[in-house]
Amino acid sequence: MSGERRTPQSLPVLPEAPADPGRRSFMRTAAAGAAVAALSGCGLEDFFRKSFRELSKGDVQKVLASLERKHSAKYGRAVTVSGAPAQPGVEFGYGLDLSRCVGCRRCVYACVKENNQSRKNPQIHWIRVLEMDKARGVDLAHAEVYYEADQVPRPGHFYMPVQCQQCRNPPCVKVCPVQATWKEPDGIVVVDYDWCIGCRCCMSACPYGARHFNWAEPTLPKEELNPVTHYLGNRPRPKGVVEKCTFCIQRTRAGRYPACVEVCPVGARKFGNLLDPESEIRRVMDTKRVFVFKEELATHPQFYYFYAT
Amino acid sequence: MRRVVQDVVRVLALAALCARPALASEAAPAPAARPPPEKPGQFQAEPPPFTPGIFPCTQCHTTPGDRTRRELGFHDDIHFEHDAEHRWCLDCHSNENRDVLHLSNGDPVPFTESYRLCGQCHGDKYRDWRVGVHGKRVGQWNGQKTYFLCVNCHNPHSPRFKPLTPEPRPARPEEMRR
């Protein structure tokens, strides 16, 4: 599968690379023994810059401003790239009521729209809705992602949407060889797309299939771009990086609910601050039957499934 | 005739004055029984989903109607499946003022606070709804939220949740190859 893909891709990459080749394409080129080609471009500043976490405040502003210019020019309208940090005293928690979810996939497409994922070839969905048999319970061997139906819920089935579980002990962070992914103080596991080298170690480490790779240049029609973005969230991604759910970091750090929460027609999705006893997520944890997915792996998710009835 | 009316009014006013202390002592525990006002503004909710042109109901219903349970000639678009064997319109809709609902004790409830009416029978769901476990809220996770009323998601006349048409399935990996 990959052989067929790799041959045509590795060669034409250089000519189609923009004037700003960036660190990742440099790595690829260097591996191919053509480092000079990358350095000859005008991306030296990007190439030598530090990772997002090590930048000083002033440098962060410079990087954000340059990204805003780049994206605005590419998509033909004003794009904002925020670098809003975690709010103090906040640890996000997410609840999903399995007794309510009807498997309508509204969340999947709201997420794609909000977070500027690639629409097709590659099609990237951060949320996957698993259809399961009521008689079997949560049983991955018999779960179906590609179910088709005129109407949902289908009799005898229940639905379990899976997205990034924002683990407190995230295997993906542990395996990243360049520390391009980390856990933020408010609990969101993020990726610095400019630092990611596309090795996909995190994808193989993640037990939830929550990380997705841009095999090709993402297809994001100009008119469908969501121009309100965050550096670590939904800003347009280049080809060859890994991306994932960030609890809609661009919304939640501004106090709003994630897009999937707002779109859910049955109100199955709950979101809030785990440190606030009055928040709905804490009410869920206090009063309902709650479980985490693949508990035995000790990833300690901040994403809780529950049964409200 | 007029004097008689005046006398009656006077007597009534006197009675009301006398009764006031007793009423006040009775009224004191009442707010505790009435749930919401813990946090004012907390229950800012979406407007109820009226059929266009049908509200206010007093456009047609100007006087109290016949209380007997029967088939309705006019509202034939309402498919009533809400414990239909035991319930009918005037159990929730006020007969005296059709622009409001009423609780089982007769207190009027505006349509925008219909959750108080629903909560009389569905107490467990009402408890969950008030703290945000049941139902849906939009807005700010740490601030102002808009609640969805029970009737924004459930048709009050036929509350069982209707099946939905799902969005398309994701592409299989083999379909994404060019």
Side-chain angles (χ1 to χ4, degrees):
Chain A
M1 168 195 136
S2 53
E4 167 194 23
R5 209 166 253 278
R6 223 169 262 155
T7 331
Q9 262 183 11
S10 58
L11 288 178
V13 143
L14 280 180
E16 83 181 34
D20 162 12
R23 195 168 153 278
R24 190 173 354 87
S25 56
F26 169 75
M27 300 292 278
R28 207 185 299 145
T29 325
V36 189
L39 285 168
S40 65
C42 58
L44 277 181
E45 201 176 298
D46 283 352
F47 171 63
F48 286 115
R49 92 159 166 77
K50 294 175 177 168
S51 78
F52 188 71
R53 272 194 298 180
E54 294 165 346
L55 290 175
S56 68
K57 270 191 180 162
D59 285 344
V60 166
Q61 290 314 316
K62 265 188 232 163
V63 169
L64 296 180
S66 106
L67 277 174
E68 285 181 349
R69 276 197 306 275
K70 195 176 110 189
H71 293 320
S72 302
K74 182 172 176 192
Y75 291 94
R77 61 188 150 131
V79 177
T80 57
V81 183
S82 154
Q87 296 181 20
V90 172
E91 195 177 345
F92 289 128
Y94 202 113
L96 202 152
D97 186 351
L98 289 182
S99 55
R100 296 263 168 273
C101 177
V102 294
C104 68
R105 295 202 188 100
R106 303 278 190 281
C107 49
V108 176
Y109 289 87
C111 170
V112 167
K113 205 171 147 196
E114 167 69 28
N115 290 298
N116 292 326
Q117 276 114 296
S118 178
R119 302 306 203 258
K120 49 184 178 184
N121 288 322
Q123 182 194 56
I124 294 184
H125 287 174
W126 291 353
I127 304 175
R128 317 213 97 198
V129 184
L130 305 180
E131 185 182 63
M132 300 203 194
D133 235 321
K134 273 189 182 166
R136 291 179 191 273
V138 177
D139 177 359
L140 287 176
H142 295 90
E144 175 61 56
V145 174
Y146 304 106
Y147 62 92
E148 288 176 278
D150 292 334
Q151 294 207 307
V152 285
R154 292 206 287 187
H157 292 87
F158 73 102
Y159 298 86
M160 180 166 173
V162 179
Q163 61 205 75
C164 177
Q165 309 280 306
Q166 316 289 0
C167 311
R168 291 190 177 80
N169 181 20
C172 54
V173 166
K174 228 178 275 179
V175 297
C176 179
V178 294
Q179 297 182 22
T181 178
W182 66 91
K183 192 168 175 70
E184 288 274 294
D186 54 7
I188 304 178
V189 175
V190 294
V191 181
D192 181 349
Y193 312 120
D194 290 350
W195 205 251
C196 170
I197 57 171
C199 69
R200 293 173 283 130
C201 290
C202 55
M203 288 173 70
S204 58
C206 174
Y208 304 105
R211 289 176 164 258
H212 305 271
F213 188 64
N214 287 280
W215 280 101
E217 190 65 41
T219 49
L220 173 58
K222 284 184 181 176
E223 63 281 3
E224 288 179 29
L225 172 89
N226 171 10
V228 183
T229 72
H230 192 283
Y231 183 91
L232 300 169
N234 62 341
R235 71 183 165 103
R237 270 82 60 190
K239 171 180 170 177
V241 296
V242 169
E243 58 182 51
K244 62 181 285 298
C245 159
T246 61
F247 280 171
C248 282
I249 195 167
Q250 67 282 356
R251 293 168 68 104
T252 48
R253 287 210 173 153
R256 299 173 66 200
Y257 281 117
C260 48
V261 171
E262 292 217 334
V263 81
C264 181
V266 295
R269 290 168 170 270
K270 304 293 164 197
F271 184 82
N273 181 4
L274 287 170
L275 305 181
D276 172 10
E278 296 299 305
S279 72
E280 50 248 50
I281 185 67
R282 277 288 293 277
R283 305 281 196 163
V284 165
M285 315 252 312
D286 290 346
T287 58
K288 300 297 168 192
R289 294 176 291 146
V290 174
F291 76 97
V292 296
F293 192 22
K294 300 193 183 180
E295 184 192 11
E296 67 279 12
L297 300 179
T299 54
H300 302 298
Q302 267 167 244
F303 194 103
Y304 303 94
Y305 293 95
F306 68 100
Y307 296 98
T309 47
Chain B
M1 179 67 197
R2 196 184 231 181
R3 275 185 65 183
V4 172
V5 172
Q6 277 175 349
D7 283 349
V8 168
V9 169
R10 256 181 230 140
V11 167
L12 279 178
L14 247 174
L17 273 177
C18 300
R20 193 175 273 170
L23 270 177
S25 61
E26 271 172 26
R34 237 170 246 166
E38 322 152 1
K39 284 185 193 168
Q42 195 192 3
F43 293 109
Q44 189 203 346
E46 287 277 293
F50 291 123
T51 315
I54 204 114
F55 191 82
C57 311
T58 41
Q59 288 175 111
C60 301
H61 297 279
T62 44
T63 51
D66 178 5
R67 289 186 161 275
T68 45
R69 203 161 163 256
R70 63 191 187 281
E71 287 286 310
L72 295 183
F74 179 72
H75 289 291
D76 53 356
D77 53 329
I78 291 175
H79 187 57
F80 191 64
E81 267 186 2
H82 192 164
D83 193 14
E85 217 178 295
H86 305 103
R87 311 251 147 253
W88 90 293
C89 317
L90 295 184
D91 290 337
C92 300
H93 292 272
S94 166
N95 196 25
E96 286 71 38
N97 176 4
R98 292 301 173 90
D99 291 342
V100 296
L101 302 163
H102 72 89
L103 301 180
S104 59
N105 66 1
D107 283 0
V109 176
F111 279 96
T112 47
E113 290 172 26
S114 54
Y115 49 83
R116 289 169 55 198
L117 173 59
C118 308
Q120 292 180 136
C121 296
H122 308 281
D124 54 337
K125 294 289 176 292
Y126 185 34
R127 266 200 309 277
D128 278 357
W129 180 82
R130 277 186 300 175
V131 297
V133 173
H134 182 97
K136 178 167 159 169
R137 302 163 157 191
V138 294
Q140 306 256 311
W141 56 263
N142 59 353
Q144 195 69 42
K145 306 177 203 318
T146 302
Y147 283 53
F148 282 64
L149 295 173
C150 316
V151 292
N152 290 129
C153 301
H154 302 272
N155 181 338
H157 302 126
S158 175
R160 179 166 290 281
F161 213 88
K162 305 292 171 297
L164 295 170
T165 309
E167 298 285 333
R169 65 168 175 79
R172 293 171 188 272
E174 59 267 29
E175 292 165 349
M176 271 194 268
R177 274 191 228 152
R178 274 175 286 179

